[in-house]
Amino acid sequence: MAAAGAQPVAVFGCRPRVAGGVCFLEDHVVLHAAGAGCLQRHLEQKWHKFIPGTERSQGVQALAVSPDRRYLAVSETVAEQPALTVYELSAGPARRRRTLAAAELPAQETVSLGFSPDCRYLAAATAPPDGQLTLWRWEKQRLLALVRIEAPGSSVCQVSFSPQENAQVCITGNGFFKLFKYSEGTLKQTNLQKGEPQNYLCHAWLSEQEVICGTDTGKLILFETGELRWETKLEYKKPPMELEEDATREYDSSCDVSSGLASEDNGSPQDSLPQILAIAAYSKGFACSPSPGVVVLFEKTKEKEVYKESQEIWEKAAYFMYLNYPLHSAPITGLDVCVWKPILATCSLDRSVRIWNYKMNTLELYKEYREEAYTVSIHPSGLFCLVGFSDKLRFISLLYEDMHVFKEFAVRKCRECSFSNGGHLFAAVNGNVIQIYSSITFEIVNNLKGHSGKIQAVKWSSDDAKLVSCDTYGAVYEWNLSTGERESECVLKSCIYSSIAPSSDAKVIFAVGSDQTLKEISESSIQNEVSAFGVVYTAVAVSHSGHMVFVGTSLGTIRTMKYPLPLMKDFNEYQAHAGAVTKMSITNDDLFLLTASEDGSVFIWKLYDKGGGILKWEKEFDYAEEVLIMRSDIEEKSQALIDLQIRVEELQTENEYQLRLKDMYCNEKIRKLEENFTQEINSLKNKYQILHAEREKADLQHQLQLSELQNKQAREVQQLESEKNLKLLMENEKYQELQVKSQKMQEQYERQLHNLEESKSRAVKELTEDYEGKLKELSLLLEEAREDMRLQLQAHEEIKKQIEEDEDQEILEMKIKYERQLMEAKESNLQLKGEIGVMNKRLNSLQKELKERNKDIEEMRLEQQKLQGIIKSLEKEISALKTEIQERADTIQDKEKDIYDLKKKNQELEKFKFVLDYRIEEFKKQIASRENDIKTMKEQICEMEGELERFRKETTQLKLNIAQMQQKLKATDREMHRERQKKQNMEVLVNRFKTDLHNCVGFIQDSKKLKDGIRGLYTKYVQQPDEVETEAAEIDMQQEYMRQREYLERNLAALKKKVVKDRETHQAAYVHIIQENVSLIKEINNLRQELKVAHTQIRDLRSTIRLMEKKQAVQGTAPSGEVLPSPTVLMLNAQKENEKIIEMQQLEIEYLRDQIKVLAAEPLSDGNLPLLNLERSHKTQ
């Protein structure tokens, strides 16, 4: 079987501190550095295209995109050597075009890149202090020029081309701003630096001659042709008060977000010193960022200032939106994939936990906490997850829009945790012990002890019957969860294991570690080892089918190999991460591989076989779509829905009412308009009749005038014809005279021409003779010149061939360029045509609106006339109302006197209010002291509960001792039964001997028979000497055993008596402690009720004061003697009651403190707590 291939389909990560790290390729396609390469990502369609770096690349240092968005230049570090590569960005996968290298260049990393406007040249700058600027003709891999940049220290360096000229380059950095021009094979500096050197952090070209630069002190400096033209300084921009309040409100609402980051930001030096880290030019000017989350726009002016600040844009003022999901900014420590849903969970040292959807390439949930997260495991249902923090292990519910901590476990620095495949159990590492918990009751089911080193990985078998773990001391253990014991182990102390992966049947375990090998462990021994060929394997994963093995290396690469493992170098390797791979996991359908790394990136790989087809799962799997949501959230949303429905109903009724009013108004308006139009139509008909009569009169007048004009025209035509005939006769006579003169002049010119031809023939003969002599001389010179020309032609043809090759290449480039421009122009023309059509439609609609507006204006004029009549009537009413106002002003003066008297009474009431506020503050202080006493009581209760727990442990130990003694008693009973059996056997033997001896005595007269009988007795009953000795030894052992048994029986009786006594004493102490706890809880509840009563009384007092103030304000005529008594009486009664309660509680607290001191002084007797004297407290209650 061939090794499977892997293709990255999604990358969640961004490499920081990369020059030119983020840029747009199209309107919705962004390119940025990620992992060990670059990533193209579509913002709307969510597809990802990963451009892997060079083999063994350690990550991108700088990148640049050409102006036509066709080429990408990348600077990398490969095997501690710099590399410069140019890629072609096309519709398919990016293709590597050129790798630039030169022998005369030193081994330095390129920190900034820039393409020329025509994309033919590439400028690269290395980091100061030994910085260099190089100019490349990258298509021919030719280094055109190199110049050294001297700088006082190492800092950020930026290089760029002029937007209109290929030969002009600008480079800035710490202490230098330089302009270079390429001519005659060298880069020549065109500016002289004047003034104090600045630390230039960024720059941008505004035109062919203007460059704007930003410094680390907040200065903006404009250079024109290398000379300083304009300078300004920006201050550190703090957000407005509204944004700060929003920020604090968000912080208070999220209790789990880290407060350490905020404190670091508050104390940063950036508050006092702004730094301009980014500048971008646009059509009207440029934009820059003087502080985090703030962008300032500058526009060009005709004044001396050249550029002026036009607008400030804030991050939280709805001007910006997130381009990408929030990504991890620190090494990823945990990764796990869900079975029921297409999601995975990751955690990182940046104190965040994130839930990703690898089907939709989106971030589902994200939350930051106060502590660092070391491990994460997601429940198979996708509704819960386990996260191991530095202080506790937390069981978290994954809600629809939040993460809610459901349960916390006291497991500090839990580095590994894992849910079982069924989800009913989960394992957590606590030190060197693996604790198995129940996911339902959250109780510890089992403790797996045996590891001596730090546990690195914990994996479950597919049936959840076994657990596999490894540690840093080279131990790999397989645990049986039913018994809690180790089934198998494999220890290799020379290897520090980092990851393991069991097969689906848990018979084979794959392990990787520090010894640069992949181990196949089976039956407690290493069956096979595969070399890593010079790298360290850091993570391993096995497909559920068992045919494929995937490993991650310390260089960030992913290797895929088949199973059984190959002995030779037979695997596929893919460049992915810029750091060591920390975690790997495979989805349940074997279609996706998930990897995480120390560089904070997560890769989603799609697996396919070597033929190019996607790996198929045996059966299709439908993912679950259920989510969790809090009851309070549902209630809030349902309440909001009800409110909105009510609001909708109100708006509907209001709209219906408004529509009715509008209908009535419109009907009235239509009626009026109909009346006006009928009147106008009648008037227009009358006007038409009058105009028709006038027109008939005008037609008669025009006919008379026309006949007069025709007669006049005929007379004028006859006069003109007679005048023209006279003029023609005069011109004919002049023509004949001129013809005679021309004949005479022609005869004279013919004579002159004949004379000139004769003189010319004579001169030609003389000249031919002279030139034939000169021709002979020139023919000799011509032959010499031909030989020289032949040699020059050969050289010219060679030069011509080279020029033609260059020109052909340039012609092709120009053709491609102008074809692209032509296509863009055609597209723009089509767009403009469409816009023109739209504008014509708008023009027609506006003309219609204009006509309607004119009609409305006429209607408004009519309404204005009506309103003027109404205004006149209202002016009359105003004059009448003024007289009434004068009369009421007199009454107001009288009432003001009454108000002055009421204000005096109000001041007296405010004095009483001040006294009440003072008493309320005293009550609050007393309540605070009571709460402190309650806290001390709670601490005492906690201590007593600890004592009670210790007593329980002692009782359990005693029960174990009793069980052991009972087992020993059963053993002695069995021994006693065995001895009784032996005794019975001996008695039977003696009886037999007696009967046989009696039979022998009967032969006492016959000596032979007597002898034979005695010999038979001897052989039957007399044993050998060694058997006699063993029997004696057994007798001694039996005696010793009897002594030991008697001793143990006596001890057992004594222990039983002691256990009975201890049980009675412990039972009494336990009952007493429970009684004390009950009494203390009752006392605490009583105190809480008293506090509630005191709070309600205070609220009542405040409400009565407010009511009295309102009554006094309303009832100005009431006498002061009727208002004052009620609040004072209430105040005195409440004060007396509260003082009595406080005195009683203080006495009770003092008595309890004395009791505690007495108990602390008395020593503990027999491990029992002393009894508290609570009779007084019960009496007071």
Side-chain angles (χ1 to χ4, degrees):
M1 179 181 175
Q7 179 183 357
V9 292
V11 180
F12 303 114
C14 183
R15 184 174 175 82
R17 294 179 291 279
V18 176
V22 180
C23 50
F24 274 93
L25 297 180
E26 297 176 11
D27 289 342
H28 298 288
V29 179
V30 178
L31 184 140
H32 62 84
C38 298
L39 178 68
Q40 298 181 59
R41 194 171 68 83
H42 200 286
L43 300 177
E44 291 184 349
Q45 298 177 8
K46 306 299 181 186
W47 55 255
H48 293 200
K49 288 184 182 178
F50 182 66
I51 304 171
T54 312
E55 188 176 355
R56 293 183 177 271
S57 172
Q58 296 175 7
V60 178
Q61 304 298 326
L63 60 87
V65 177
S66 62
D68 61 357
R69 302 292 187 260
R70 190 177 174 187
Y71 302 106
L72 168 68
V74 176
S75 169
E76 302 172 282
T77 302
V78 180
E80 300 182 357
Q81 292 294 325
L84 196 60
T85 311
V86 179
Y87 295 88
E88 183 177 0
L89 302 173
S90 57
R95 185 165 55 91
R96 186 175 298 170
R97 283 288 299 270
R98 296 287 185 271
T99 300
L100 306 181
E104 60 268 22
L105 288 178
Q108 290 184 343
E109 292 180 0
T110 303
V111 295
S112 182
L113 297 169
F115 276 97
S116 62
D118 62 354
C119 309
R120 294 171 62 189
Y121 301 99
L122 180 68
T126 59
D130 298 328
Q132 288 183 340
L133 175 63
T134 56
L135 185 66
W136 296 82
R137 180 71 182 272
W138 64 268
E139 286 186 343
K140 296 185 178 181
Q141 297 180 333
R142 192 168 67 195
L143 178 65
L144 299 178
L146 182 146
V147 65
R148 186 173 179 180
I149 306 297
E150 295 182 358
S154 62
S155 68
V156 178
C157 183
Q158 184 181 355
V159 65
S160 64
F161 277 91
S162 171
Q164 283 85 23
E165 190 174 353
N166 292 334
Q168 195 166 5
V169 182
C170 174
I171 184 169
T172 57
N174 188 2
F176 63 90
F177 167 79
K178 295 184 179 183
L179 293 172
F180 291 93
K181 192 163 187 178
Y182 176 69
S183 64
E184 299 177 358
T186 58
L187 285 168
K188 296 179 181 179
Q189 188 172 347
T190 60
N191 71 318
L192 293 173
Q193 194 164 351
K194 298 177 182 179
E196 295 181 1
Q198 301 281 342
N199 184 5
Y200 300 103
L201 300 179
C202 56
H203 72 263
W205 289 84
L206 301 179
S207 65
E208 189 175 353
Q209 296 179 346
E210 292 183 344
V211 181
I212 188 76
C213 299
T215 68
D216 62 344
T217 58
K219 285 185 179 180
L220 285 170
I221 303 171
L222 179 67
F223 294 95
E224 187 172 359
T225 63
E227 298 293 330
L228 178 64
R229 187 183 174 193
W230 174 71
E231 182 179 349
T232 186
K233 187 170 182 180
L234 298 179
E235 296 180 355
Y236 186 83
K237 303 286 184 180
K238 289 187 177 180
M241 293 300 292
E242 293 179 359
L243 297 179
E244 287 182 359
E245 290 175 2
D246 292 340
T248 54
R249 202 176 298 121
E250 289 175 4
Y251 176 79
D252 293 336
S253 63
S254 177
C255 63
D256 292 329
V257 176
S258 173
S259 61
L261 297 173
S263 63
E264 288 176 7
D265 292 341
N266 292 333
S268 64
Q270 291 180 353
D271 292 344
S272 59
L273 189 65
Q275 290 186 346
I276 298 173
L277 298 172
I279 295 178
Y282 68 102
S283 58
K284 295 183 180 179
F286 65 92
C288 65
S289 176
S291 56
V294 181
V295 174
V296 182
L297 299 181
F298 284 84
E299 292 185 358
K300 197 167 186 177
T301 62
K302 295 180 180 179
E303 301 174 1
K304 293 181 180 179
E305 293 184 357
V306 184
Y307 287 93
K308 189 175 182 181
E309 182 178 341
S310 62
Q311 189 179 0
E312 289 182 4
I313 303 174
W314 299 90
E315 181 183 359
K316 291 189 178 179
Y319 292 108
F320 292 102
M321 62 180 291
Y322 280 108
L323 189 67
N324 196 359
Y325 305 112
L327 304 170
H328 284 296
S329 59
I332 295 173
T333 56
L335 180 145
D336 195 18
V337 66
C338 180
V339 178
W340 291 10
K341 295 182 180 181
I343 59 173
L344 67 142
T346 58
C347 66
S348 171
L349 295 180
D350 61 3
R351 304 175 181 177
S352 68
V353 179
R354 299 163 202 262
I355 308 297
W356 309 88
N357 190 319
Y358 59 82
K359 286 280 189 181
M360 305 295 294
N361 294 340
T362 57
L363 179 65
E364 296 275 333
L365 288 174
Y366 155 70
K367 193 164 187 178
E368 290 185 359
Y369 294 88
R370 297 178 186 275
E371 296 83 17
E372 292 180 346
Y374 297 129
T375 180
V376 66
S377 179
I378 192 164
H379 195 269
S381 65
L383 302 176
F384 310 98
C385 73
L386 269 175
V387 184
F389 293 95
S390 57
D391 60 342
K392 288 180 181 179
L393 176 68
R394 290 180 171 88
F395 190 92
I396 297 174
S397 299
L398 302 179
L399 305 179
Y400 178 60
E401 293 177 342
D402 194 12
M403 298 184 188
H404 176 67
V405 177
F406 183 74
K407 183 75 175 177
E408 292 183 345
F409 303 92
V411 181
R412 291 178 60 82
K413 293 184 179 181
C414 178
R415 299 282 177 176
E416 286 294 328
C417 66
S418 178
F419 274 105
S420 63
N421 294 312
H424 61 293
L425 300 173
F426 64 86
V429 174
N430 189 358
N432 295 336
V433 180
I434 302 171
Q435 295 179 338
I436 308 298
Y437 289 85
S438 171
S439 300
I440 300 165
T441 61
F442 299 112
E443 294 179 354
I444 296 175
V445 178
N446 213 333
N447 286 323
L448 308 180
K449 299 179 181 179
H451 281 285
S452 56
K454 182 181 174 183
I455 299 172
Q456 293 288 87
V458 174
K459 302 290 181 182
W460 294 81
S461 63
S462 58
D463 57 356
D464 295 335
K466 296 179 182 179
L467 191 75
V468 183
S469 60
C470 67
D471 62 14
T472 55
Y473 282 9
V476 176
Y477 294 152
E478 184 180 349
W479 307 86
N480 190 331
L481 294 180
S482 60
T483 61
E485 296 178 353
R486 281 182 291 190
E487 277 198 353
S488 64
E489 62 181 45
C490 179
V491 180
L492 183 64
K493 293 186 177 179
S494 60
C495 177
I496 299 172
Y497 286 114
S498 58
S499 179
I500 56 171
S503 61
S504 58
D505 55 0
K507 291 181 180 179
V508 180
I509 301 168
F510 298 93
V512 294
S514 60
D515 60 351
Q516 298 185 2
T517 59
L518 170 63
K519 297 177 180 62
E520 181 183 351
I521 301 171
S522 178
E523 296 178 356
S524 301
S525 63
I526 298 171
Q527 302 293 334
N528 191 6
E529 281 188 344
V530 178
S531 174
F533 300 99
V535 297
V536 177
Y537 287 147
T538 56
V540 63
V542 184
S543 64
H544 293 85
S545 63
H547 298 307
M548 298 308 305
V549 180
F550 305 90
V551 289
T553 67
S554 57
L555 299 178
T557 59
I558 306 298
R559 292 181 179 179
T560 66
M561 56 187 74
K562 62 184 178 180
Y563 182 78
L565 298 176
L567 298 176
M568 304 299 291
K569 194 175 181 180
D570 183 15
F571 52 78
N572 297 326
E573 188 167 11
Y574 301 95
Q575 193 73 26
H577 299 281
V581 178
T582 55
K583 298 290 180 182
M584 295 181 73
S585 184
I586 298 177
T587 58
N588 200 43
D589 53 5
D590 284 347
L591 292 181
F592 293 96
L593 172 68
L594 319 172
T595 60
S597 171
E598 289 180 354
D599 63 357
S601 63
V602 179
F603 275 66
I604 312 295
W605 303 81
K606 198 157 194 176
L607 304 179
Y608 58 89
D609 59 15
K610 201 170 182 181
I614 303 299
L615 292 173
K616 293 184 178 179
W617 186 239
E618 292 179 358
K619 53 184 179 180
E620 294 183 358
F621 190 79
D622 295 329
Y623 291 108
E625 296 182 356
E626 292 81 5
V627 293
L628 291 178
I629 189 165
M630 297 288 284
R631 185 185 294 276
S632 58
D633 295 341
I634 293 172
E635 290 174 353
E636 287 178 4
K637 288 183 178 180
S638 60
Q639 185 63 39
L641 190 66
I642 292 165
D643 295 340
L644 289 170
Q645 288 176 351
I646 293 166
R647 179 64 179 158
V648 166
E649 291 174 357
E650 291 176 354
L651 288 171
Q652 284 177 350
T653 54
E654 189 175 350
N655 286 332
E656 289 175 357
Y657 177 69
Q658 293 293 331
L659 285 169
R660 287 174 187 171
L661 290 175
K662 282 184 179 180
D663 289 338
M664 292 169 67
Y665 176 72
C666 290
N667 291 327
E668 183 68 22
K669 211 169 187 180
I670 288 164
R671 187 179 60 76
K672 290 179 180 178
L673 287 170
E674 285 177 351
E675 292 176 356
N676 293 328
F677 282 134
T678 53
Q679 292 176 2
E680 288 179 0
I681 287 164
N682 294 325
S683 63
L684 288 170
K685 283 180 179 178
N686 296 327
K687 285 180 182 180
Y688 175 74
Q689 291 175 358
I690 294 164
L691 290 170
H692 186 68
E694 290 177 353
R695 184 190 166 205
E696 289 178 351
K697 291 178 182 179
D699 287 339
L700 292 170
Q701 290 177 359
H702 285 307
Q703 287 176 359
L704 293 170
Q705 290 175 0
L706 184 64
S707 61
E708 290 176 359
L709 288 170
Q710 285 176 352
N711 295 326
K712 189 176 180 181
Q713 186 183 9
R715 289 194 296 272
E716 288 177 352
V717 166
Q718 289 176 359
Q719 289 177 0
L720 288 170
E721 284 179 353
S722 60
E723 289 175 357
K724 292 289 179 183
N725 290 326
L726 292 170
K727 285 182 180 179
L728 281 169
L729 292 169
M730 296 286 288
E731 292 295 328
N732 192 10
E733 291 176 356
K734 287 179 181 178
Y735 174 71
Q736 289 176 358
E737 291 176 357
L738 290 169
Q739 196 172 8
V740 173
K741 286 181 181 178
S742 66
Q743 287 177 357
K744 292 178 181 178
M745 289 175 72
Q746 190 174 3
E747 290 174 355
Q748 289 177 0
Y749 284 128
E750 284 177 354
R751 289 192 213 103
Q752 289 176 1
L753 280 169
H754 184 70
N755 294 329
L756 287 169
E757 283 177 356
E758 290 177 354
S759 61
K760 181 183 175 184
S761 62
R762 279 189 243 107
V764 166
K765 286 179 182 179
E766 292 174 357
L767 288 169
T768 50
E769 290 174 357
D770 292 334
Y771 282 114
E772 281 176 357
K774 290 179 181 179
L775 259 171
K776 291 176 181 178
E777 294 175 358
L778 289 169
S779 61
L780 297 171
L781 294 170
L782 188 66
E783 289 177 357
E784 294 176 357
R786 281 175 181 172
E787 290 179 359
D788 294 335
M789 192 175 78
R790 185 173 55 78
L791 297 171
Q792 288 177 2
L793 279 170
Q794 290 177 357
H796 176 71
E797 285 176 356
E798 292 177 357
I799 293 165
K800 185 180 177 183
K801 285 179 182 178
Q802 292 179 356
I803 290 167
E804 284 176 353
E805 290 176 358
D806 293 338
E807 289 299 325
D808 290 338
Q809 185 67 26
E810 290 179 359
I811 286 162
L812 286 171
E813 292 175 357
M814 294 291 286
K815 185 180 178 183
I816 293 165
K817 180 180 178 182
Y818 286 117
E819 283 177 355
R820 190 181 294 109
Q821 290 179 359
L822 183 64
M823 291 297 291
E824 291 175 355
K826 286 180 180 178
E827 290 175 357
S828 63
N829 285 332
L830 291 172
Q831 289 177 357
L832 289 170
K833 285 179 181 178
E835 290 175 358
I836 287 163
V838 173
M839 294 300 290
N840 288 328
K841 289 179 182 177
R842 286 184 181 175
L843 184 67
N844 294 326
S845 63
L846 287 169
Q847 287 176 353
K848 290 178 182 178
E849 289 179 2
L850 199 139
K851 290 178 181 178
E852 292 174 0
R853 290 287 171 85
N854 290 329
K855 291 179 181 178
D856 294 333
I857 287 164
E858 291 178 358
E859 293 172 1
M860 294 296 288
R861 282 177 185 171
L862 295 171
E863 289 178 1
Q864 186 180 3
Q865 292 175 359
K866 293 178 182 178
L867 290 170
Q868 284 177 353
I870 294 166
I871 287 163
K872 289 179 182 178
S873 62
L874 290 172
E875 284 176 352
K876 292 179 182 178
E877 291 177 3
I878 287 163
S879 60
L881 289 168
K882 282 181 180 178
T883 56
E884 290 181 5
I885 287 163
Q886 187 64 34
E887 292 173 358
R888 291 188 180 182
D890 298 330
T891 57
I892 286 164
Q893 288 179 357
D894 298 330
K895 288 186 178 180
E896 282 179 352
K897 291 178 183 178
D898 298 332
I899 289 164
Y900 178 75
D901 297 330
L902 290 170
K903 282 182 179 179
K904 286 183 179 179
K905 294 177 182 178
N906 195 11
Q907 288 176 359
E908 293 175 358
L909 287 169
E910 284 178 354
K911 290 177 183 178
F912 283 109
K913 182 183 177 184
F914 178 77
V915 172
L916 287 170
D917 290 336
Y918 180 75
R919 294 296 297 170
I920 287 162
E921 288 177 357
E922 287 182 350
F923 285 139
K924 285 181 179 178
K925 291 177 183 177
Q926 292 171 1
I927 288 162
S929 64
R930 287 290 183 83
E931 287 177 351
N932 292 327
D933 295 333
I934 289 163
K935 285 181 181 177
T936 55
M937 293 289 186
K938 286 181 178 177
E939 290 174 357
Q940 289 179 3
I941 290 164
C942 291
E943 290 175 358
M944 290 177 179
E945 287 176 352
E947 290 288 333
L948 184 63
E949 186 67 25
R950 193 166 65 250
F951 288 146
R952 286 177 182 169
K953 289 179 180 178
E954 289 177 359
T955 53
T956 53
Q957 189 63 36
L958 289 169
K959 286 178 181 178
L960 289 171
N961 293 334
I962 290 164
Q964 290 176 358
M965 296 301 288
Q966 287 175 351
Q967 288 176 358
K968 290 178 181 178
L969 184 63
K970 289 178 181 178
T972 53
D973 289 332
R974 284 196 294 271
E975 288 294 327
M976 186 176 70
H977 183 68
R978 199 180 296 118
E979 290 298 325
R980 285 177 179 171
Q981 188 67 33
K982 285 181 181 179
K983 183 183 175 185
Q984 290 176 0
N985 292 335
M986 289 301 292
E987 288 176 353
V988 170
L989 188 65
V990 169
N991 291 326
R992 286 178 184 173
F993 180 75
K994 285 178 180 180
T995 53
D996 291 337
L997 184 62
H998 186 268
N999 292 329
C1000 284
V1001 170
F1003 299 111
I1004 199 167
Q1005 299 295 329
D1006 191 354
S1007 60
K1008 285 183 180 181
K1009 288 183 180 181
L1010 182 63
K1011 184 179 180 181
D1012 294 332
I1014 290 167
R1015 191 176 290 167
L1017 287 172
Y1018 182 82
T1019 55
K1020 188 176 181 180
Y1021 295 106
V1022 178
Q1023 297 175 353
Q1024 298 296 326
D1026 53 351
E1027 292 178 355
V1028 174
E1029 288 177 359
T1030 55
E1031 189 176 359
E1034 286 178 0
I1035 292 165
D1036 293 333
M1037 285 174 66
Q1038 289 176 0
Q1039 291 175 356
E1040 183 65 26
Y1041 175 78
M1042 293 299 293
R1043 286 196 298 271
Q1044 290 290 335
R1045 190 178 69 183
E1046 289 173 359
Y1047 174 76
L1048 289 171
E1049 286 174 353
R1050 287 197 298 273
N1051 287 335
L1052 182 62
L1055 286 169
K1056 283 182 179 179
K1057 291 178 181 178
K1058 191 174 181 181
V1059 165
V1060 171
K1061 288 180 181 179
D1062 290 337
R1063 190 182 294 165
E1064 292 173 356
T1065 53
H1066 287 310
Q1067 188 68 25
Y1070 179 74
V1071 171
H1072 189 68
I1073 288 164
I1074 289 169
Q1075 290 175 355
E1076 288 177 354
N1077 287 337
V1078 170
S1079 62
L1080 289 170
I1081 289 163
K1082 286 180 180 178
E1083 194 171 349
I1084 289 162
N1085 291 327
N1086 292 328
L1087 289 170
R1088 285 176 179 167
Q1089 290 176 358
E1090 290 171 3
L1091 279 172
K1092 286 180 182 178
V1093 171
H1095 282 305
T1096 54
Q1097 289 176 355
I1098 289 162
R1099 287 196 205 98
D1100 294 334
L1101 287 170
R1102 286 179 179 171
S1103 62
T1104 51
I1105 289 164
R1106 288 179 192 141
L1107 287 169
M1108 296 310 298
E1109 287 176 356
K1110 288 179 182 177
K1111 284 181 181 179
Q1112 287 177 358
V1114 174
Q1115 298 175 0
T1117 56
S1120 60
E1122 294 175 2
V1123 177
L1124 291 174
S1126 58
T1128 52
V1129 170
L1130 287 168
M1131 181 181 70
L1132 291 171
N1133 292 332
Q1135 286 175 359
K1136 287 178 183 179
E1137 289 178 0
N1138 290 329
E1139 284 175 358
K1140 286 179 182 178
I1141 292 163
I1142 290 162
E1143 285 175 0
M1144 290 170 67
Q1145 290 176 351
Q1146 284 178 349
L1147 291 170
E1148 186 65 26
I1149 289 162
E1150 287 176 359
Y1151 178 75
L1152 289 169
R1153 283 176 180 167
D1154 295 333
Q1155 288 285 319
I1156 290 162
K1157 288 177 183 177
V1158 171
L1159 292 169
E1162 291 180 1
L1164 294 172
S1165 61
D1166 297 331
N1168 296 327
L1169 288 170
L1171 299 175
L1172 282 171
N1173 187 8
L1174 297 175
E1175 293 178 358
R1176 188 177 180 276
S1177 64
H1178 290 302
K1179 288 176 182 178
T1180 56
Q1181 289 176 4

